[in-house]
Amino acid sequence: MTGLPAGGSGRPTGQPPVVAPEREREAGASGGVVAAAVVSEGIGASPVRPDAGLKVRGEFAFSSDLWAEDMLWGVTLRSPHPSATIERIDVAAALAVPGVHAVLTAEDVPGDPHYGLEVADQPVLAVDEICYRGEPVAVVAADHPETARRAAERIVVDYAVREPVTDPETALAEGRLVRHVPVRRGDPDAVAEVVVTGEYRVGMQDQAFLGPESGLAVPAPDGGVELYVATQWLHADQRQVAAALGLPAELVRLSLAGVGGAFGAREDLSMQVHASLLALRTGRPVKMVYGREESFVGHVHRHPAILRYEHGATRDGKLVYVRARILLDGGAYTSTTPAVVANAATLGIGPYRVPNVTVDAYGVRTNNPPCGAMRGFGAVQACFGYESQMDRLAAAVGLDPVELRVRNALAEGGTMPTGQLVEGPAPVARLLELVRDRPAPPPAEDDLRQLPGGVANTTTAEQVVRGVGYAIGIKNVCFSEGFDDYATARVRLELIGGEPTALVHTAAAEVGQGLVTVQAQIARSELGVERVVVATADTSVGSAGSSSASRQTYMTGGAVRAACRAVRDALLHRLPGGGLADGGGGVAGVDGVGVAGGVDGGGLELVGGVVRDGAGQVLGSLVELLAGGAVEETVRWRHRPTRPLDPVTGQGDAHVQYAFAAHRATVDVDPELGLVRVVEIATAQDVGRAINPQAVVGQIQGGTAQGLGLALMEEIQVVDGVIRNPSFTDYLIPTILDVPPMAVDVLELADPHAPYGLRGVGEPPTISATPAIVAAIRAATGIPLTRVPVRPEHLTGTEQPSGTG
C-alpha cells in the first residue's frame, strides 16, 4: 500500500503523522550495508500507481480542486505592455467593489520585493517598470472569482510605454547578456577536407501542462502561512516565499497539492507569493487558479534559439572540428538561463568524438516572456543544430547518416569537449544500430486514416512521399557545475496492526512521473516488507531538490535507499550479539556497493519479514525486532561531486552523469499541401536500470511526443513581445491521433556511480525526437529545413522565415 501524492477530498489535511528525527545522518561516497532480496512490487516490477485509478475516474484532487472554509479568491492584474514605466497606480475603485477584501501592489510586499531561482531579479509585483507583457502589477482578493476579476479591471495604472527589445541579437549587441559559456578544446584553427555550415532556429515551446497554476494559502495562528501548491521544488518555493513575506522559513510551510503536469514550468514561482500575501493581509484562506491564457504568461517557456554551426571532417567522415555559436533568448528575467546556457555549451556538439571544439553559448535578456526550464533544458536546441549538421555532413562525404554517426560515436572512456571523461556506459553506436535495424513500417495505403490529410480527404497515396530520418542526443542528469545537489529522505519502520510497515517521507514532488511508486518500490526491496506508506511531500522534512534534470529517481531514490539501509543497520543491531560486526555497517554511499558484515562476518538479508544470514539461516523476524519500538532514520544523500566550468576554456567535470537516446522517424509527406504524418518512431535508450519498466517506457513515449510537438506544431507566436496564441485552440499540441506507434528498445547498462546503476530517463527522448522527425521530412522532400517547428508553408515552396517567432 502506498500513500497518494495528494488527498482525494481536495481539502488541506494538515501534516502527515511523521515523528521528527532525533538526528540527521550524512551519506557520502563510501560505505554500504546489506542488500535485501527483491520482493513483489519491488525494484524491477511495475506495480499499479496509487493515483492511477483516481485519475482515470476523474476523482484525483488536483491543486485547482483545493477548498477551505471561508475561502477568498485571488486574481492578478497584469501589464498589457512588454516594456513600460509605471507612473501611477490607483486602487480606490477596486477597493470599492462589494465583496473585495484586499488590493495589493508592490508597496504592500513586506519583505524582499524581488525573487528568482538563481538571481532575485523578478519583482513580486511590478515596482516601477514593466519588462514583459503579463508582468504582475497588483493582486485582488474577493469572496467570488468574478468579483475579484471585475475589481482588478477597475485598477487604474498609468504607463509610459517604451519600445521593447525583442530580438536576441539586438539584446546581445546592447549588452543585455545573462551568461556567456565558452568551450575550447584542441586547435581553434584546425582545418578539414570537408566543411559544412548551417544556421538553425528553434521556436519558443510551451510546457503545455493540462493543470494550470493554482494553489491555496491558509494563514496560520503563529503568524505564518500554510501553502498547498502544485510545484516542482517545495523548498525553493519556501525560500523565495519566505523572503518576500519577510518571514523566517519555518513559518512558511508548503505541502504538495495534486500536480497536473510540469515539464519545468513549475520550477519558477507563479501564484505562491501572491496568494500568501493576500491570505496574511485578509486573515482568510485565499485560492488562486489561472485560466489558460494567464497560464501562458504565468510561467516560463523553452528558450528560442539561433544556432550557427561549422563542422569539419576528413573525406571518410571523421570529425576534425566543430565550431558553434548558440544564442538563447531568456526573455525578461534570469530564471534558469545560466544553467540552460551551460548545458547548450557543454552538450553542444552532441555525443561525438571531436578533437577540436570551439563553442560559444550566450543567454540574453529581452522583453519577451521569461524563459527557463523545460524538458531537455538547453540540450534540445543544441541537438537540432548538431544533428542537422551531421545529416549535411553525411551527404557531403557520401555516407549513410547512421554510418557517419557510428564512425564518430562517443564511447565509454571517451572525452567530452569540456575534458570530462565519460566513466559509465555510452552506447551511442549501439543505440543508433538498434533503431536502424528495426523493421520498416508498411508503405502508405489509400486509407484516409493513414494519409497526411487524414479523413479530410485531401491526400491520395500517389501524392505521398516517404522519408526516414535519424538522430541521437546526449543529456546531463542531475544538477551540475558544483551545485550542492542533495536529497533528504526519512524512513520509519514500525509495527502497525502487527505487520511491519515502512513510512517514507521526502519533499520530492510527484509531478506525474511516478516517483511515489518508485519510492515505495525501493523501500520494499531494501527492507523486505510489503506494506509501504509514502507520506505527502512537504517542507517538514529536508529538501529533495527539484523534480527536474531527470534527477529524482537518482537523487531521492538514492536518499530513500540510504535511509532504508540506515534503518536496516539500526534494526540488525538488535539481533542477539549485536547483529552487525564492528565496522560492517554504515550508510550506503553513491556507489551503492559493499555488503555489511553480519554475525561471524556473513552477509545478512531482510526478506519475507525475517533476517537470514549468508547460509540462509533465520536469525530473527522483523516482528520480533520491532517489538522494541520503531526504527527511524533521516539521511541527506549526495551524488559524486561536480565542479564549476573554467570561465575561459569551459573545461571541468561539470556533470554527474550522461544519458543517451536515439530515434528513427518515418514520415509521409504531401508536399503539395505541406502536410506531414509521422508513420512510426523507433527509439532506443539506455536507462542503466529500469526501476519501474512500465514507467520507463511511458517516460520515453511521453518525451518523444513532446519532441514531435516541437518538430511539427508547437510554438508560442511572439510578435513585438506579445503572445498571439495563448490558448489550446491556437497553440497546438499532439493528440493521440498525432502520436504514431513507437517501437521502444530499453537498454540496462549499469552506471557504476549511480544507485542501482540507474540513469535518468525523462529528458533524453525529447532531445533527439525532434531532429529525427525533421530529418525524415528532409529525406522525403529534399528541402533543407532549418527551423522548428516545420510549418506547411515551409514545404510548399515558400521561402523559409528568418525570424524566431
Side-chain angles (χ1 to χ4, degrees), residues 25-269:
R25 305 173 71 170
E26 290 281 343
S30 62
V33 294
V34 295
V38 175
V39 296
S40 65
E41 298 198 343
I43 292 171
S46 298
V48 175
R49 289 173 50 148
D51 55 351
L54 292 170
K55 287 180 175 176
V56 169
R57 295 191 300 270
E59 298 172 358
F60 183 82
F62 291 97
S63 56
S64 55
D65 297 317
L66 292 167
W67 180 89
E69 295 286 350
D70 204 27
M71 183 177 75
L72 299 175
W73 293 80
V75 165
T76 308
L77 175 70
R78 297 178 179 272
S79 166
H81 308 293
S83 182
T85 57
I86 298 175
E87 299 188 335
R88 183 178 70 99
I89 302 177
D90 186 350
V91 302
L95 284 170
V97 174
V100 169
H101 291 257
V103 180
L104 306 181
T105 66
E107 295 178 351
D108 300 298
V109 178
D112 192 332
H114 295 85
Y115 69 91
L117 269 175
E118 298 188 26
V119 177
D121 62 349
Q122 189 159 355
V124 173
L125 294 167
V127 179
D128 53 15
E129 67 173 346
I130 299 298
C131 293
Y132 74 99
R133 187 180 190 273
E135 183 109 64
V137 176
V139 288
V140 178
D143 53 16
H144 191 279
E146 289 302 324
T147 302
R149 291 188 187 98
R150 289 198 304 271
E153 292 171 356
R154 294 192 178 193
I155 299 172
V156 177
V157 185
D158 292 336
Y159 298 100
V161 178
R162 304 180 300 197
E163 185 69 22
V165 176
T166 59
D167 175 61
E169 294 284 7
T170 301
L172 184 62
E174 293 184 357
R176 299 166 68 105
L177 180 69
V178 175
R179 189 181 186 188
H180 168 219
V181 177
V183 177
R184 304 288 187 267
R185 185 167 179 81
D187 181 3
D189 300 316
V191 296
E193 298 170 298
V194 180
V195 175
V196 295
T197 61
E199 179 175 305
Y200 308 93
R201 298 191 177 226
V202 176
M204 183 185 290
Q205 188 181 17
D206 189 67
Q207 296 84 351
F209 44 65
L210 298 185
E213 291 82 355
S214 52
L216 177 68
V218 182
D222 60 3
V225 64
E226 310 277 350
L227 183 60
Y228 303 84
V229 66
T231 181
Q232 290 180 240
W233 193 347
L234 286 163
H235 283 79
D237 286 9
Q238 181 189 45
R239 169 180 56 82
Q240 295 170 87
V241 173
L245 299 179
L247 293 174
E250 60 268 20
L251 291 184
V252 179
R253 295 170 287 270
L254 278 75
S255 296
L256 186 68
V259 181
F263 314 114
R266 298 189 199 271
E267 273 205 322
D268 292 76
L269 295 183

Side-chain angles (χ1 to χ4, degrees), residues 1 93 100 127 134 151 156 158 236 242 248 324 551 599 638 724 761:
M1 175 174 76
V100 169
V127 179
V156 177
D158 292 336
R551 65 179 288 283
V599 177
R638 288 176 169 85
R724 304 307 297 267
V761 172

